[in-house]
Amino acid sequence: MVIKMNPYIEYGKKAFAKNLVYRSDYIIGVFNTVIMVFIQVAIWRAIYGSNTQINGVPFSYVATSFVLSICFAAALTANDFVLADKVLYGSITTELLKPISINLCIMADTIGNNLFKLIMQFAPAVIISGLFLGLLPPASVLMLLLCVFSLIFGFLIVYYISYIIQACSFWFTNVWSLSVIKNSVISILSGTLIPLWFLPDWLAAAIKWTPFDVIYFAPIQIYLGQMNTQEIIFTFAKQIVWVLLFAVLGMFIYKKGIKKLCIAGG
Amino acid sequence: MSIIVENLSKTFKIKEKQKGIGGALKSLVAPKTKLIKAVEDISFTIDDGQAVGFIGPNGAGKSTTVKMLSGILYPSAGRINVNGLVPYKNRIEHVKNIGVVFGQKSQLWWDLPITDTFDLLKKIYKIPSDVYSRNLELFNEILGLHEFETQQVRQLSLGQRMRADIAAAFLHEPSIVFLDEPTIGLDVVAKEKIRLFIKEINRVKKTTLLFTTHDMTDIEKTCQRIIVIDKGKILYDGTIDSFKTKLNKDDFNEAVYEMFTGGI
């Protein structure tokens, strides 16, 4: 009963259903993702040439890594403009007048969208590109499960980075430039552009101190069975610390922003 | 007592922009700010079930007051108590018991039909099913929502949208409703429907109302009492009849005009 009455589930369902309206959008989305995977894999096939391994990494790992990370990156996204639009068009005041948490609404909206993308975009994109490019199976069922869990935390990192940018919209009416910078940083440092195996040592070492390697790349390494128990535990710990850090920072900026809005008038 | 307002003030800090490129550069380096007193030291109380007209010229401070009462604007000084709560401190608890209609802004979901919006509101406010269907029936009867309930909100006319907005604000049976210019830009028929609705709800459900409008007929047809405000200060608080007597006019409209053009 409590669950049935929950308005946030309703928000999530509405977001999910809204995607169904734009059918051509999702077909193009799948197509776009598949092309990205094909191009990346083709480039790396050329780089490998007749070598079976580079830096001790077999080509099949590279192909699997691209198939999974690009498809995940396409499916597990956060829209940077949800809150910004509310502030810009003033709908935030009408939402403040309802007995709901705006943060949970944004979260529900995002989850609704991502569930849609996982089913309707991720699944077909992985199947198509996996069939043509060769997708390695998970190292074991346990590793597959651990990969799924760590992807959830990876998504939460992406979500709260986006949330921080969104919360800045109380000061900057346009967060578009912040969003572009963030997206480029994530795509370069998270391994969706260049697998982190091939980065120069100093850069790979530096990335270890950032949250970016545990968004998509670490879950894929778990999937491939390249991490031992200790490394897996460390990955989860690192993910949780970053999620908490970003969440707390985001909430802090959001609270300040709401206060500013209510003092200056929306 | 539903609403208690004591010595309420709101001051806005406005950035002053100077003329020309030189001025713009100057504002960038050393921004100049100006304080504007939107509401200055006002006090009033409203009893349960009372319908009060809140009138004043543009920029008098009406909307600022309504926003502070509904909790989305923090006061600079003074005390507000609505239903025993401080609006801006207990946001979620406070907004459960109130309804707000801003004529200038819709609270409906733009890309959903109004029935979906109502369903969502039912879940948000946790309205019991029997109360929900009883209210919808009553609102349909007076506001005639059936004609357009399956259309997306973006496709509605202003009059239809406003009727839906008003129904949405009353659906969860709030004990207090703030109506900020709900009849703005509407034709005579739509206005009359809305007045009838407001009056009926006030009578049947004993809902406390604070009604802001520039159409004095709205006030005459729905309210027992008026509060007149200008330049952030209260000029009059009492019944419509004694207001007319005070200004020596038979017509309410003329009396209001007299007051704003410097009668007293």
Side-chain angles (χ1 to χ4, degrees):
Chain A
M1 189 66 187
V2 177
I3 292 169
K4 215 177 144 199
M5 293 284 276
N6 198 327
Y8 303 112
I9 291 175
E10 217 51 37
Y11 264 93
K13 277 197 219 155
K14 289 232 149 68
F16 188 96
K18 213 188 271 174
N19 282 293
L20 293 169
V21 181
Y22 306 105
R23 213 171 32 171
S24 52
D25 263 19
Y26 108 76
I27 293 172
I28 291 171
V30 173
F31 192 63
N32 194 18
T33 311
V34 170
I35 291 211
M36 287 247 297
V37 179
F38 272 70
I39 292 175
Q40 284 283 15
V41 173
I43 291 174
W44 283 87
R45 185 168 284 151
I47 294 174
Y48 266 75
S50 58
N51 298 324
T52 45
Q53 287 197 348
I54 293 180
N55 282 3
V57 181
F59 178 71
S60 56
Y61 277 27
V62 177
T64 302
S65 152
F66 274 125
V67 170
L68 291 180
S69 69
I70 293 176
C71 293
F72 276 130
L76 299 177
T77 55
N79 179 355
D80 294 336
F81 304 99
V82 180
L83 190 58
D85 283 349
K86 287 185 205 296
V87 175
L88 195 60
Y89 300 112
S91 64
I92 185 124
T93 45
T94 46
E95 293 197 10
L96 284 171
L97 288 170
K98 300 206 167 68
I100 40 168
S101 149
I102 292 177
N103 289 326
L104 288 179
C105 287
I106 298 175
M107 180 66 111
D109 191 89
T110 311
I111 291 174
N113 277 320
N114 285 347
L115 281 180
F116 176 87
K117 286 187 190 158
L118 276 177
I119 299 167
M120 306 298 278
Q121 291 199 333
F122 174 77
V126 165
I127 291 169
I128 295 170
S129 42
L131 274 179
F132 286 96
L133 304 171
L135 179 72
L136 291 173
S140 66
V141 178
L142 176 69
M143 288 306 153
L144 181 65
L145 283 176
L146 289 173
C147 165
V148 170
F149 277 118
S150 66
L151 269 173
I152 293 173
F153 286 111
F155 158 69
L156 286 175
I157 293 176
V158 172
Y159 178 80
Y160 280 110
I161 293 177
S162 164
Y163 180 70
I164 290 172
I165 288 180
Q166 297 191 45
C168 290
S169 58
F170 290 105
W171 290 270
F172 317 113
T173 26
N174 197 336
V175 292
W176 186 80
S177 50
L178 283 179
S179 166
V180 170
I181 295 170
K182 180 210 75 175
N183 288 339
S184 344
V185 169
I186 289 186
S187 62
I188 293 168
L189 300 183
S190 68
T192 51
L193 219 53
I194 306 169
L196 300 182
W197 298 304
F198 305 120
L199 289 181
D201 286 342
W202 63 270
L203 189 54
I207 291 174
K208 288 258 176 269
W209 292 94
T210 70
F212 302 109
D213 64 325
V214 289
I215 298 177
Y216 310 116
F217 198 67
I220 289 167
Q221 279 185 298
I222 295 177
Y223 175 94
L224 290 170
Q226 285 199 310
M227 280 193 183
N228 60 32
T229 317
Q230 220 174 357
E231 283 169 327
I232 292 174
I233 292 170
F234 181 72
T235 299
F236 277 106
K238 196 171 151 186
Q239 286 182 320
I240 290 168
V241 168
W242 279 111
V243 169
L244 288 178
L245 209 70
F246 284 139
V248 168
L249 182 63
M251 301 281 179
F252 177 75
I253 300 174
Y254 174 83
K255 284 238 164 71
K256 287 255 170 201
I258 289 285
K259 203 169 170 193
K260 178 184 174 281
L261 185 82
C262 290
I263 286 172
Chain B
M1 214 75 87
S2 279
I3 301 176
I4 305 168
V5 172
E6 277 172 7
N7 310 103
L8 184 67
S9 296
K10 178 71 196 178
T11 314
F12 289 110
K13 212 188 252 178
I14 305 285
K15 275 200 192 106
E16 264 188 330
K17 297 272 183 236
Q18 291 165 36
K19 266 208 285 189
I21 294 179
L25 280 174
K26 225 165 133 190
S27 314
L28 195 68
V29 181
K32 232 176 159 181
T33 52
K34 185 169 81 174
L35 293 178
I36 291 181
K37 287 178 181 164
V39 172
E40 227 181 320
D41 197 23
I42 64 170
S43 303
F44 60 85
T45 58
I46 297 176
D47 290 336
D48 289 338
Q50 230 179 19
V52 178
F54 194 41
I55 55 184
N58 291 323
K62 304 184 298 291
S63 291
T64 306
T65 309
V66 170
K67 281 181 184 165
M68 285 193 279
L69 288 172
S70 52
I72 54 173
L73 194 63
Y74 299 159
S76 309
R79 224 170 59 86
I80 308 175
N81 196 305
V82 178
N83 282 331
L85 293 169
V86 180
Y88 54 95
K89 278 190 184 150
N90 322 62
R91 177 178 79 85
I92 291 200
E93 276 310 303
H94 170 66
V95 296
K96 275 182 194 166
N97 301 316
I98 64 163
V100 187
V101 180
F102 289 116
Q104 314 268 21
K105 208 186 261 175
S106 180
Q107 63 154 330
L108 306 168
W109 277 266
W110 207 232
D111 41 15
L112 296 179
I114 55 170
T115 43
D116 282 17
T117 297
F118 291 163
D119 272 350
L120 199 49
L121 291 173
K122 175 177 186 277
K123 298 213 164 73
I124 289 176
Y125 290 100
K126 302 186 172 38
I127 310 170
S129 293
D130 53 326
V131 176
Y132 176 75
S133 43
R134 202 174 53 221
N135 281 346
L136 262 192
E137 208 172 299
L138 173 71
F139 297 177
N140 264 323
E141 212 174 281
I142 312 178
L143 293 170
L145 305 171
H146 275 314
E147 328 159 7
F148 52 86
E149 64 181 5
T150 52
Q151 286 171 32
Q152 281 190 336
V153 172
R154 64 166 99 233
Q155 297 165 333
L156 301 182
S157 74
L158 180 62
Q160 292 172 329
R161 201 214 78 202
M162 210 57 242
R163 278 185 271 163
D165 248 313
I166 288 176
F170 283 90
L171 206 56
H172 57 292
E173 304 196 323
S175 61
I176 300 176
V177 175
F178 302 113
L179 300 146
D180 193 7
E181 303 191 29
T183 57
I184 193 164
L186 300 189
D187 65 58
V188 192
V189 183
K191 272 188 184 179
E192 200 53 43
K193 267 188 184 154
I194 286 174
R195 288 170 193 152
L196 191 74
F197 176 80
I198 290 170
K199 201 173 172 172
E200 186 63 14
I201 297 295
N202 175 242
R203 190 182 65 83
V204 179
K205 312 248 184 211
K206 302 272 172 281
T207 310
T208 310
L209 299 171
L210 190 67
F211 192 163
T212 300
T213 175
H214 292 292
D215 184 336
M216 294 311 139
T217 319
D218 289 349
I219 302 290
E220 272 183 301
K221 291 201 171 169
T222 53
C223 298
Q224 299 103 34
R225 173 184 155 196
I226 53 168
I227 296 176
V228 183
I229 178 173
D230 192 15
K231 298 192 181 76
K233 288 183 178 141
I234 290 179
L235 301 181
Y236 175 85
D237 184 351
T239 63
I240 296 178
D241 283 335
S242 58
F243 182 72
K244 287 193 277 195
T245 324
K246 189 178 170 191
L247 285 141
N248 227 344
K249 298 277 183 198
D250 290 333
D251 184 66
F252 182 43
N253 242 317
E254 280 178 28
V256 172
Y257 182 79
E258 180 81 13
M259 173 154 265
F260 292 154
T261 49
I264 333 170

